[in-house]
Amino acid sequence: MTTEPFFHAFIAIVNDLSRHLSTEKRYQHLLQTLQQLFPCDACALLKLEPPFLVPLAIAGLSEDTLGRRFLISEQPRLAHILAQRHIVRFAADSTLPDPYDGLIENTANQLHVHDCMGVTLYIDEQAWGVLTLDALNPQTFDVINHQALQTFVSLTEATVKAANLIVSLESQVKQVQQTLPAETTRVEMLGNSPQMRALQQEIAVLAQSDLAVLILGETGVGKELVAQQIHSQSKRARQPMVYVNCAALPETIAESELFGHQKGAFSGAVSDRRGKFELANGGTIFLDEIGELSLNLQAKILRTLQNGEIQRVGCDSYHKVDSRVIAATNRNLQKGIAEGQFRSDLYHRLAVYPIQVPPLRERGKDVLLLAGLFLEKNKQRLALQGLRLDNEAKQALLHYDWPGNIRELEHLLSRAALKAITPQGRDKRVVSIFVQHLDIQPLFNSPPVVSPSAVSLDESLSFKQQIDQFSRQLILQKLLENQQNKTKTAQSLGIDKGNFFRLLKRLEI
Ligand SMILES: Nc1ncnc2c1ncn2[C@@H]1O[C@H](COP(=O)(O)OP(=O)(O)OP(=O)(O)O)[C@@H](O)[C@H]1O
Ligand SMILES: [Mg+2]
């Protein structure tokens, strides 16, 4: 073996340890080096998050792999690797299904992996995850030098440890800045497109404030998920997030549901009852489908937003509540205002910070990432060994306009998986979803649209009102960035302090 390439590659990995890199980049560099040094068609770094192994970086694998969550109990190869302390190589004729069957890129017809190695990575004597190497041809790994691979594994463990330390230090700094501990988010929101990255940034900034938020977006884009993210990244994360579906509130009980009632307030009110606003005290109340709320309730909610008070039905006095309001709708509220169905004062209270969730057709390759998540779920649900998208099917997904957005993608893939099973059978090692199983009309003439994330403005307002709305959004954003320090905010906007204070007054901030 010529040792020189190994020497240089290992030095590069060690150098990366002291460089300022994102965790993603760090892991991507590792896998690129792995592919250069050891012959393999694909490799992956997976993190152990029981009961799953979650891919953090991949090379040579279909992009949807990153969205998959491998259930260890259903992946005998991964389970076996995790059970060993040493590097494992599977026999070429092993009948165990491989998690990557059908996922290795640039292979016309060959779907099965024939040479497969893996090793569990240990950080401080605890299993942290798994590194895997796969090849389509048997004997590929015969030439691998075990000592060199072992050295590479040790360097990978050192890289993971360094990355973990950096991330944990960064998050400690953030927590100190926020003074209150923030709970780590449990709900996963997938998306790497610029649109989704911008949305994630907006969420991170908004989560630090107590401002009311209005989440706008087409049906099925993930508005509820965005609300959950804001709550779980906020200092209120340990308190409840109370969900209210305004469309499903019968008018007769709606007021009592939202604000509670006093014993004897109406027949059937046999005891005092707290409403959703009180249940969300200290936490967040999520008013979903706010566009469906009656004018009477809109007025009451406006009062609560203005004064932080609620009045239980049948009670003369007011109670203070501290619940942050997040509302969502797929309706055009301006139209509602014009038609007299939505109060404009409530709209302006809620739309202090409107968040627009981009439709799926504007998210480019995120479609495949999400497809990976849903394919893996279907694979588990249908007890299949492998489930993949054929290339033409991937193209069709990328060129469809998704009127029902993510929910439509989820349902479509569930249906497609069932259709694919019928002719191919459940026992096949890899079931392939072909374009005809998708039953969609891709718009091949128009490439996937990727529009720059725009300021959300509302065209029913006059020019001046739009300018004011934009100014308000910009100033609120800058205030957040400057921890509400007005002098610093004025400086960062390049406005004279006196003028800035007058502007705040005029814009009612
Ligand atoms: N970025 C994402 N990553 C993973 N799953 C997502 C993402 N966005 C949405 N989903 C999933 O898609 C489904 C629809 O999302 P959600 O219910 O939040 O959409 P919505 O905009 O509130 O829909 P509706 O307009 O029908 O109320 C949910 O199952 C959600 O978990
Ligand atoms: Mg919803």
Side-chain angles (χ1 to χ4, degrees):
M1 171 181 85
T2 34
T3 51
E4 202 167 333
F6 285 91
F7 182 72
H8 287 298
F10 290 162
I11 294 281
I13 297 176
V14 173
N15 282 342
D16 264 2
L17 289 178
S18 56
R19 285 178 61 202
H20 191 78
L21 287 174
S22 69
T23 309
E24 253 170 16
K25 276 253 159 60
R26 223 174 260 291
Y27 293 158
Q28 209 54 54
H29 283 186
L30 265 180
L31 295 193
Q32 279 160 5
T33 313
L34 179 65
Q35 275 200 312
Q36 278 164 20
L37 296 180
F38 305 98
C40 63
D41 294 309
C43 50
L45 179 69
L46 303 109
K47 182 167 185 241
L48 183 60
E49 287 183 11
F52 300 107
L53 272 168
V54 176
L56 297 187
I58 54 168
L61 289 167
S62 170
E63 248 169 295
D64 59 276
T65 313
L66 276 180
R68 294 182 182 239
R69 304 303 173 243
F70 295 115
L71 195 58
I72 300 161
S73 56
E74 290 185 2
Q75 295 289 354
R77 291 197 191 213
L78 295 176
H80 184 68
I81 295 169
L82 275 171
Q84 311 297 320
R85 277 288 324 214
H86 53 83
I87 298 173
V88 175
R89 182 174 175 196
F90 293 90
D93 59 357
S94 165
T95 53
L96 297 177
D98 190 289
Y100 311 124
D101 278 337
L103 300 183
I104 296 191
E105 290 278 78
N106 307 324
T107 52
N109 298 314
Q110 200 177 349
L111 298 181
H112 299 172
V113 170
H114 285 302
D115 212 350
C116 165
M117 290 178 88
V119 61
T120 303
L121 302 169
Y122 282 83
I123 307 292
D124 298 329
E125 287 304 303
Q126 295 279 339
W128 173 88
V130 163
L131 186 69
T132 57
L133 287 84
D134 287 86
L136 292 169
N137 297 326
Q139 290 126 29
T140 309
F141 297 151
D142 290 354
V143 295
I144 279 189
N145 175 304
H146 264 251
Q147 205 187 349
L149 185 56
Q150 192 55 60
T151 311
F152 184 88
V153 169
S154 302
L155 283 171
T156 305
E157 289 169 337
T159 303
V160 168
K161 182 155 185 178
N164 283 353
L165 278 174
I166 292 167
V167 170
S168 101
L169 277 174
E170 282 172 353
S171 93
Q172 275 178 30
V173 169
K174 244 196 205 151
Q175 283 201 4
V176 171
Q177 282 170 348
Q178 288 179 5
T179 61
L180 276 164
E183 188 148 281
T184 48
T185 141
R186 294 291 313 156
V187 220
E188 189 175 22
M189 189 163 95
L190 285 183
N192 287 332
S193 58
Q195 282 72 6
M196 287 306 282
R197 284 187 191 268
L199 180 67
Q200 274 151 358
Q201 264 180 4
E202 262 188 300
I203 290 173
V205 172
L206 266 181
Q208 291 168 38
S209 83
D210 265 341
L211 292 176
V213 181
L214 178 63
I215 305 173
L216 300 165
E218 294 174 17
T219 180
V221 280
K223 296 186 290 298
E224 190 173 336
L225 201 55
V226 168
Q228 286 164 356
Q229 292 277 331
I230 297 174
H231 173 73
S232 62
Q233 292 179 34
S234 77
K235 60 179 192 287
R236 296 170 177 261
R238 288 176 213 282
Q239 305 300 323
M241 169 159 141
V242 176
Y243 176 85
V244 182
N245 183 349
C246 301
L249 271 184
E251 187 59 31
T252 46
I253 58 155
E255 190 175 344
S256 144
E257 276 292 301
L258 288 173
F259 303 108
H261 61 243
Q262 207 173 27
K263 185 177 171 183
F266 47 86
S267 59
V270 287
S271 58
D272 288 355
R273 183 165 181 253
R274 290 193 299 162
K276 303 272 191 192
F277 270 96
E278 275 185 87
L279 293 172
N281 197 19
T284 305
I285 183 163
F286 177 44
L287 302 173
D288 202 5
E289 320 263 11
I290 185 110
E292 315 304 315
L293 215 55
S294 71
L295 284 167
N296 170 38
L297 285 172
Q298 288 176 30
K300 298 213 151 98
I301 286 180
L302 177 67
R303 191 192 156 90
T304 305
L305 277 170
Q306 283 168 335
N307 305 338
E309 289 178 342
I310 53 122
Q311 188 179 28
R312 288 185 179 177
V313 178
C315 180
D316 293 335
S317 54
Y318 287 91
H319 288 267
K320 278 270 170 220
V321 283
D322 166 31
S323 22
R324 185 203 194 160
V325 175
I326 302 182
T329 183
N330 57 15
R331 279 221 188 192
N332 179 344
L333 290 185
Q334 276 78 54
K335 203 162 154 259
I337 294 172
E339 289 167 1
Q341 284 155 6
F342 204 82
R343 292 181 68 114
S344 71
D345 44 8
L346 177 60
Y347 172 77
H348 290 295
R349 266 277 155 184
L350 289 171
V352 174
Y353 210 112
I355 274 204
Q356 190 78 41
V357 187
L360 186 54
R361 64 183 163 279
E362 291 182 5
R363 299 191 201 174
K365 286 192 173 169
D366 279 0
V367 176
L368 294 183
L369 207 66
L370 288 158
L373 177 77
F374 299 135
L375 286 174
E376 202 56 30
K377 279 190 185 163
N378 275 293
K379 201 202 84 176
Q380 284 152 21
R381 190 171 57 86
L382 300 168
L384 303 176
Q385 296 184 55
L387 181 61
R388 69 182 279 275
L389 285 167
D390 157 77
N391 268 341
E392 212 185 323
K394 281 188 202 166
Q395 287 310 313
L397 293 183
L398 284 170
H399 290 84
Y400 180 56
D401 71 345
W402 300 112
N405 293 291
I406 294 108
R407 187 171 301 107
E408 183 183 5
L409 174 66
E410 183 172 9
H411 292 168
L412 185 141
L413 288 175
S414 302
R415 273 197 311 273
L418 284 176
K419 285 187 202 158
I421 292 176
T422 317
Q424 298 172 49
R426 269 171 198 274
D427 299 331
K428 201 169 173 213
R429 196 149 142 186
V430 183
V431 173
S432 294
I433 294 181
F434 294 106
V435 70
Q436 66 269 25
H437 299 131
L438 298 176
D439 202 15
I440 52 176
Q441 291 297 321
L443 310 166
F444 275 112
N445 295 336
S446 55
V449 206
V450 180
S451 73
S453 70
V455 180
S456 45
L457 286 178
D458 137 14
E459 282 162 16
S460 68
L461 299 177
S462 71
F463 178 68
K464 167 130 193 348
Q465 283 170 325
Q466 291 199 41
I467 297 287
D468 281 356
Q469 186 177 332
F470 175 74
S471 309
R472 206 176 285 124
Q473 281 176 28
L474 182 67
I475 292 174
L476 286 164
Q477 162 88 28
K478 289 285 170 199
L479 278 168
L480 278 175
E481 286 171 16
N482 290 294
Q483 285 82 39
Q484 308 297 332
N485 181 323
K486 293 182 183 142
T487 310
K488 272 198 199 157
T489 306
Q491 276 165 1
S492 77
L493 287 165
I495 306 178
D496 164 75
K497 206 168 137 193
N499 285 342
F500 182 65
F501 278 88
R502 274 188 289 281
L503 194 59
L504 290 183
K505 202 158 172 215
R506 189 174 71 72
L507 295 173
E508 294 174 15
I509 296 179

